[in-house]
Amino acid sequence: MIAPIRKASKRERAPSWHAGFLEMLPKIKRYAEYAFRHWSVEAREEAVQETLANAMVAYVRLAKRGKLDMAHPTVLAR
């Protein structure tokens, strides 16, 4: 079955937490790359991506609780 193409007529807005997380993203990625620097390339790339995903989930949870003041790149990366 072929999925129908979504019409682009309705512009989707990014969630309110999105801009704040994108601002922290380079620092989180750098921290993760340094932490996994001794791993093989393939394992390191996987671990960095998993770290970024976990950091995003943690950031969203903090946003839902109204505690974004506690969100720091190094803490989210750990």
Side-chain angles (χ1 to χ4, degrees):
M1 181 168 151
I2 298 174
I5 298 174
R6 287 180 27 180
K7 293 184 179 180
S9 62
K10 293 183 180 179
R11 187 174 182 160
E12 295 180 22
R13 287 185 46 172
S16 59
W17 55 265
H18 194 254
F21 181 74
L22 286 180
E23 188 177 317
M24 291 186 186
L25 192 59
K27 290 180 182 178
I28 296 170
K29 185 175 181 184
R30 206 171 351 183
Y31 185 92
E33 287 172 341
Y34 183 77
F36 302 117
R37 68 188 180 279
H38 297 298
W39 292 24
S40 68
V41 175
E42 196 172 293
R44 180 175 50 244
E45 288 175 1
E46 183 72 26
V48 168
Q49 291 303 313
E50 189 169 337
T51 300
L52 295 176
N54 288 332
M56 187 195 72
V57 169
Y59 190 86
V60 170
R61 284 185 177 180
L62 287 171
K64 286 182 179 179
R65 292 181 176 183
K67 297 184 178 188
L68 284 179
D69 57 323
M70 298 175 69
H72 301 284
T74 53
V75 175
L76 292 171
R78 288 186 193 152

